[in-house]
């Protein structure tokens, strides 16, 4: 069939399940955004800036799978690149569409605005090459193939891709396939698949202490069902990482906890480190997810990734994670055993409230009682993620944090994306004042779309995560003390609820009155009050980052570990 | 002498005239920011986010010369890259210092947060390679040389550079030069210099209609004094570009106007296009500065750039712009002639005010009366720069706009930089609502430092510049309608003045009451009310960008050119 390049691209995005597109208009993409407005689908969600758009797309992808954003040449593309790199780091399939210079300008080598104006032509694509899995500049000759290649690559690798759509070709008609684009995993090589599954099943059958450790790729590659089946069938304990909290039910008797190096319980360390058949799915050893390399996976660990299995001395390729797991499940016998609960589950407890200044401990205790099944909890890097990671999640919750990329400000943009992806769920944002300031304006987009998150802004007078590392009393860790709770009324002309909470009693009252409307709560806590895990991590981070000649050992350099 | 790498870098920055450093702390740069805090100089100016920091550094550089910012690995570096690319495009010497992974992590190939966590190690430096003039990763072995090389390169080329400071070496002592770093232009090759100057002087002496056209490099390479001397000596008319407005006094009788292709007056077109000896300094032909390539420089144009002269059939290298101009000045005779005023200077006129809704024309008329000698006027791309470019500047004014890179939101961050560079001057920001939303939070930094700009925010209900191109009534060109004038009171706990102005009468009252305190004025104008130049440019832009198959010709697609 004949179709304009712009409409073909929009159709493809819709066919793979993208219902919303984020972005900022610019003169080199307006013609495409106009096609979107004419077509009516996917829904356009205009952001305040491109970085926020990239965060929104990332958040959207975490609940939806594929996501897309539209930016303009140079200025827009480079503003979004941090968010796209984050999606690469954390394995999310994002299609970044850059409305770029008209082909006529490229061919004629005329200098254009939104460029370096030095004759260079592909510098932005080259920058994106560093942080995306595939890139293309569309032409009428390659568009039909490249659009499909890029979307498929993003989906198969769970990585972002970058696509330049020159502004003078979006309305050109080309021949395109009639059939919808269907995303399919590649077929596995049968021999490699059978061999790897046999190898793994053999290892499992001979094991006395088998266990599973899953990182984010278990979710990204869509094998949580298989993980559950395998764990159930063999009664395997399953641990997650701090970067994958919540992807295995924390209410399951098989859930063994969050494995986080030396910060894990001894029971969990024994279980993981002492396993004679640890199946690690998508595991990456990163300072921030291994408690600064204090983890210790057994040498005999079986490593399963999206398209490979590393088992003993054999490395299997040409297979898919899903096919391997399915084959293993089918080939192992049910283990008949009394189910063991591997972890003590915290029960909600009645909390004392008081009129004394609110502490972090009080807040996280109250939040534990407040969360309910099905919540989407988005926790900013720092105090929020550290405290949030300790929550025992009710059934069906999703926990979102950027544990590896750790770009502060991410979560406010991401919240817009999660809200659009799953408006029927309750979304709770946990964010600090320092982080909030990076992306604050995107709150206005959330209000503009009449979305109803619960936002807890922890105002602790600056970058508390940094104060655990260096500069406890340093000026550079202070931020301006905004009237945060007044912001919703600046950004929206509707009546919106916001509260400033200084004590646990006030917090309790606010939480009791929560309904399903937009709610913004500013929590006042002290700059040096932080979850213990954050403080310990800060000290480890300083030692790793600055070495023995660093300034972290000076008196008063860091938030100290509390005595008690 | 022995010095720590961090202190050496700080000393070098100070030696070349950098009195303020912008940035955002992060765990990989805290140790360096701590050195800065201990040292006390340059002054640390913490920003809300890294993009804003890069804009602030750019604005600072426009008044100060060299500038620097500090970001953290990956997340910070990539957030700032749009601003750095803008500084490349618009020729500003910025040192972007990235507190990066400790060398120990690089050597051991351990995976770290703030990276792609895929084993890659130099992707951010590679991204920066696309948009900077030089890059380096410091080590104890190369730091003494690389720091000087990068700062010199930035200054000589008037381009940004990117420097990675691994977090574990800032406190290591190395041997460094005692002598301060002195920035000197390279010496010219004497024969080439003499030949080029003779060639140019010869062309001038035989010319009947010589003229000068200067773009931003005349300012960046510091030859405005030489331009003035040459123009005075030969009574040459001098035209600027839209990208260099104000660098030649608009009050001078020799000032010929802003040459902007077919949008220029016929008198100016004749003067430039009909010149038989046009000296074009730093001229670049960009769509946005040539009224979409409707300019026409004579084939015989003499092109002088930072380090070259292109004269007739000869291309001179190994020379400096300053040396060539100086030599030409010295070798041409004074032209004895009655000075001609090449341009009618608008006088301030008494304006009628009314209670009817404020128009763009009324605002720009009022502003013409309001500006005074020495003002720094920062005009955001779009309505603001289009209107601002028409102002006739009093003596000693600086006009700042991003006419080539055109990244919206730039000016608010840049304003922080200009205020820090020249706090004794009056700074006037002109910005639209759509642009303001990209970087709004940086207003809080301006307030935090008790700086006193005058901010005029034109609230015209969205992206009016885009409505001139496409989507006159399109939803994608709308933005949320904030209570802009309430923002200063959210960001600051001091008493700050803000006003909402809906009529020329109200505007007149506000302007009359202006003192030297912080003032924020929100101006309400209609979404389809725009300076004529902007509308014409929008139409030209659409035709260039989308070509004959584009959507711009549909009825109601664009703001039409007003009838009258």
């Amino acid at each position: 069939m004949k179709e304009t390049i712009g409409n073909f691209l929009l159709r493809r995005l819709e066919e793979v399940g993208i219902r919303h597109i984020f972005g900022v208009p610019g003169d080199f993409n307006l013609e495409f955004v106009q096609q979107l407005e004419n077509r009516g689908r996917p829904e356009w969600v205009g952001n305040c800036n491109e970085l926020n758009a990239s965060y929104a797309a990332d958040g959207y992808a975490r609940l939806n799978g594929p996501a897309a954003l539209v930016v303009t040449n140079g200025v827009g593309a480079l503003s979004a690149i941090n968010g796209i790199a984050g999606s690469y780091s954390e394995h999310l399939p994002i299609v970044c569409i850059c409305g770029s210079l008209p082909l006529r300008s490229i061919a004629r080598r005329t200098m254009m605005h939104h460029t370096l104006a030095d004759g260079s032509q592909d510098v932005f694509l080259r920058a994106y090459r560093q942080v995306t899995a595939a890139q293309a500049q569309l032409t009428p000759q390659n568009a039909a193939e490249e659009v499909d290649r890029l979307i498929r690559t993003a989906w198969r690798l769970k990585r972002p891709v970058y696509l330049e759509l020159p502004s003078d070709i979006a309305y050109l008609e080309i021949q395109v396939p009639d059939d919808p684009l269907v995303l399919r995993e590649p077929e596995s090589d049968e021999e490699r698949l059978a061999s790897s599954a046999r190898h793994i099943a053999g290892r499992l059958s001979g094991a006395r202490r088998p266990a599973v450790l899953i990182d984010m790729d278990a979710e990204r590659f869509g094998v949580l069902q298989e993980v559950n089946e395998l764990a159930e069938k063999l009664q395997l304990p399953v641990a997650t990482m701090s970067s994958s909290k919540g992807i295995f039910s924390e209410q399951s008797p098989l859930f063994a906890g969050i494995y986080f190096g030396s910060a894990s319980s001894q029971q969990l360390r024994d279980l993981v480190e002492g396993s004679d058949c640890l199946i690690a799915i998508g595991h990456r050893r990163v300072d921030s997810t291994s408690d600064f390399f204090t983890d210790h996976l057994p040498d005999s660990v079986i490593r399963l990734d999206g398209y490979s299995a590393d088992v003993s001395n054999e490395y299997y390729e040409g297979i898919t994670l899903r096919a391997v797991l399915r084959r293993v499940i089918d080939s192992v016998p049910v283990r008949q055993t009394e189910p063991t609960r591997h972890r003590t589950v915290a029960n909600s407890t009645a909390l004392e409230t008081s009129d004394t200044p609110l502490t972090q401990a009080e807040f996280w205790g109250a939040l534990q009682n407040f969360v309910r099944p099905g919540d989407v909890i988005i926790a900013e890097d720092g105090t929020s993620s550290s405290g949030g990671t300790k929550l025992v999640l009710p059934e069906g919750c999703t926990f979102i944090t950027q544990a590896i990329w750790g770009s502060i400000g991410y979560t406010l943009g991401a919240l817009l994306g999660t809200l659009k992806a799953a408006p029927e769920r309750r979304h709770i944002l946990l964010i600090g004042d320092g982080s909030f300031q990076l992306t604050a304006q995107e709150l206005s987009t959330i209000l503009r779309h009449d979305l109803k998150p619960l936002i807890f802004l922890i105002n602790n007078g600056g970058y508390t995560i940094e104060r655990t590392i260096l500069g406890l009393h340093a000026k550079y860790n202070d931020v301006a003390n905004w009237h945060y709770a007044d912001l919703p009324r600046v950004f929206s002309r509707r009546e919106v609820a916001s509260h400033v909470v200084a004590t646990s009693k006030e917090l309790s009252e606010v939480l009791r009155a929560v309904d399903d409307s937009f709610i913004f709560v500013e929590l006042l806590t002290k700059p040096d009050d932080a979850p213990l895990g954050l403080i310990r991590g800060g000290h480890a981070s300083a030692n790793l980052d600055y070495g023995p000649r660093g300034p972290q050992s000076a008196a008063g350099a860091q938030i100290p570990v509390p005595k008690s």
Side-chain angles (χ1 to χ4, degrees), chain A residues 351 356-368 380 382-391 430-433 456-465 468 501-504 507 522-535 559 562:
Chain A
L351 293 168
T356 54
L358 183 69
T359 66
Q360 287 284 328
E362 287 172 333
F363 171 61
W364 296 109
L367 198 67
Q368 180 66 69
E380 181 67 37
T383 306
S384 301
S385 64
S386 184
T389 301
K390 294 285 185 193
L391 294 173
L430 307 165
I431 189 166
D433 54 341
F456 293 100
L457 183 141
I458 299 167
N459 180 355
N460 51 14
Y463 305 117
T464 288
I465 185 173
T468 70
V501 159
T503 69
S504 58
L507 175 62
E522 177 184 350
L523 307 155
L524 305 178
T525 69
K526 288 186 184 164
D528 61 351
D529 182 12
L532 181 61
L534 191 73
I535 300 172
I559 297 180

Side-chain angles (χ1 to χ4, degrees), chain A residues 3-132:
Chain A
E3 198 168 21
T4 65
I5 292 173
N7 279 331
F8 172 64
L9 174 55
L10 290 169
R11 174 160 70 88
R12 282 317 204 205
L13 296 173
E14 201 184 351
E15 284 167 358
V16 300
I18 292 173
R19 292 163 294 123
H20 301 83
I21 296 184
F22 301 91
V24 179
D27 62 325
F28 294 121
N29 70 32
L30 279 181
E31 89 296 347
F32 178 62
V33 180
Q34 180 68 47
Q35 286 177 309
L36 181 53
E37 183 152 317
N38 292 347
R39 202 172 177 278
R41 289 175 331 214
E43 180 189 332
W44 172 252
V45 182
N47 293 90
C48 291
N49 66 37
E50 290 89 353
L51 178 61
N52 296 354
S54 68
Y55 289 159
D58 183 296
Y60 187 80
R62 285 176 196 245
L63 294 187
N64 187 67
L69 75 160
V70 175
V71 297
T72 197
N73 198 71
V75 293
L78 293 188
S79 285
I81 196 171
N82 170 23
I84 296 298
S87 301
Y88 188 99
S89 183
E90 306 230 338
H91 296 183
L92 292 151
I94 315 281
V95 183
C96 179
I97 299 160
C98 178
S100 64
L101 304 186
L103 284 183
R104 66 180 65 200
S105 293
I106 296 168
R108 290 173 172 169
R109 305 192 76 84
T110 48
M111 292 209 283
M112 303 287 286
H113 68 288
H114 294 347
T115 75
L116 302 185
D118 66 346
S120 63
Q121 297 211 317
D122 59 354
V123 291
F124 310 124
L125 191 140
R126 281 167 181 271
Y128 263 89
R129 185 172 294 158
Q130 312 305 322
V131 298
T132 52

Side-chain angles (χ1 to χ4, degrees), chain A residues 83 134 139 195 215 244 258 261 290 417 420 424 469 486 489 515 519 524 555:
Chain A
T139 66
S195 298
D215 204 349
S244 56
I258 295 177
S290 66
K420 278 291 177 185
E424 71 288 358
I469 301 172
D486 291 345
R489 280 181 292 275
D515 54 20
I519 292 165
L524 305 178

